[in-house]
């Protein structure tokens, strides 16, 4: 089994589901037990949850930051969990290192540090995550649901969300208008 941690999953055009259609998922962990990742290009307000976004920002005190940060839909699993994806210029005891550049942290300390200006230089606050059991992600590859691509921190933190999916497909040399609906490894 190949480990796809620190890679992007790129949804194929035939996925019309509002959650996973035109989605980029950053794989945070992948091992024999399954995989976990965060959708990096879907803000919660794109899913018509504006009141929920406000409540999340209020509860976390992130609404005090100017400009107000976006809240991202990390995936449909554990929607009560907040996860911060960030560069490793900030680390707590609960930070999980994904690569030499990127980690995830899910604790109240990082939220306090972000609000006071002592947190990571950049971050993406996500609610929930995408998860797969043992062999489930590999089956989805075989079904042609995903392409796999190398990750890039600039795409995660700097590129406008609405450009990510098409950009990665173009970078892979894929003409999304010409695809027959079968995916795999890139």
């Amino acid at each position: 089994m190949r480990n796809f941690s620190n890679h992007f999953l790129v949804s194929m055009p035939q996925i019309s589901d509002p959650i996973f259609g035109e989605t980029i998922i950053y794989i945070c962990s992948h091992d024999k037990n399954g995989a976990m990742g965060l959708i990096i290009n879907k803000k919660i307000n794109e899913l018509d949850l504006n009141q929920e976004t406000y409540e999340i920002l209020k509860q976390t005190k992130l609404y005090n930051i100017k400009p107000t940060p976006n809240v991202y839909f990390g995936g449909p699993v554990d929607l009560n969990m907040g996860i911060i994806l960030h560069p490793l210029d900030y680390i707590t005891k609960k930070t999980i290192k994904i690569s030499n550049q990127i980690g995830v942290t899910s604790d109240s300390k990082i939220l306090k540090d972000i609000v006071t200006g002592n947190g990571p230089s950049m971050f993406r606050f996500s609610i929930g995550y995408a998860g797969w059991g043992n062999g489930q992600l590999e089956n989805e590859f075989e079904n042609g649901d995903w392409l796999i691509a190398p990750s890039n921190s600039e795409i995660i933190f700097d590129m406008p969300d609405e450009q990510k999916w098409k950009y990665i497909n173009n970078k892979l040399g894929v003409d999304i208008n010409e695809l027959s609906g079968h995916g795999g490894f890139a």
Side-chain angles (χ1 to χ4, degrees):
M1 178 190 88
R2 197 166 148 201
N3 184 324
F4 293 116
S5 297
N6 192 37
H7 282 78
F8 290 138
L9 282 183
V10 184
S11 68
M12 295 297 286
Q14 80 270 13
I15 297 178
S16 60
D17 177 296
I19 292 175
F20 293 111
E22 295 189 11
T23 296
I24 305 295
I25 299 175
Y26 179 66
I27 299 295
C28 300
S29 67
H30 183 220
D31 59 27
K32 65 181 179 172
N33 298 317
M36 177 270 186
L38 295 171
I39 297 172
I40 63 164
N41 65 328
K42 299 227 177 183
K43 296 176 195 131
I44 282 188
N45 62 0
E46 290 174 7
L47 300 172
D48 256 351
L49 301 172
N50 289 331
Q51 183 61 34
E52 189 170 323
T53 300
Y54 173 76
E55 288 301 319
I56 291 165
L57 290 170
K58 186 177 169 187
Q59 289 172 12
T60 61
K61 299 192 178 6
L62 290 175
Y63 68 91
N64 291 329
I65 300 172
K66 300 297 180 223
T68 304
N70 292 312
V71 177
Y72 287 86
F73 177 70
V77 179
D78 202 353
L79 294 174
N80 294 318
M81 178 182 223
I83 301 171
I84 309 262
L85 183 65
H86 59 89
L88 291 177
D89 59 356
Y90 175 91
I91 296 175
T92 73
K93 291 178 182 175
K94 295 194 176 181
T95 298
I96 298 169
K97 185 177 167 184
I98 299 167
S99 72
N100 290 332
Q101 298 177 333
I102 299 173
V104 291
T105 305
S106 185
D107 68 0
S108 59
K109 179 176 178 11
I110 192 171
L111 291 172
K112 289 176 190 167
D113 288 347
I114 288 171
V115 170
T116 61
N118 297 313
S121 58
M122 297 178 284
F123 69 93
R124 297 180 74 81
F125 180 73
S126 297
I127 298 297
Y129 63 91
W132 296 265
N134 181 22
Q136 187 179 3
L137 183 57
E138 291 78 5
N139 288 339
E140 291 181 17
F141 282 129
E142 290 175 18
N143 290 338
D145 295 336
W146 304 101
L147 290 173
I148 190 86
S151 70
N152 177 311
S153 63
E154 287 81 25
I155 292 172
I156 294 171
F157 297 111
D158 299 330
M159 182 176 285
D161 297 318
E162 61 278 0
Q163 296 175 10
K164 291 176 181 175
W165 187 73
K166 287 182 180 174
Y167 175 82
I168 292 175
N169 277 292
N170 289 335
K171 189 89 168 159
L172 293 171
V174 175
D175 181 348
I176 56 175
N177 299 315
E178 299 284 325
L179 291 175
S180 65
H182 298 289
F185 303 103

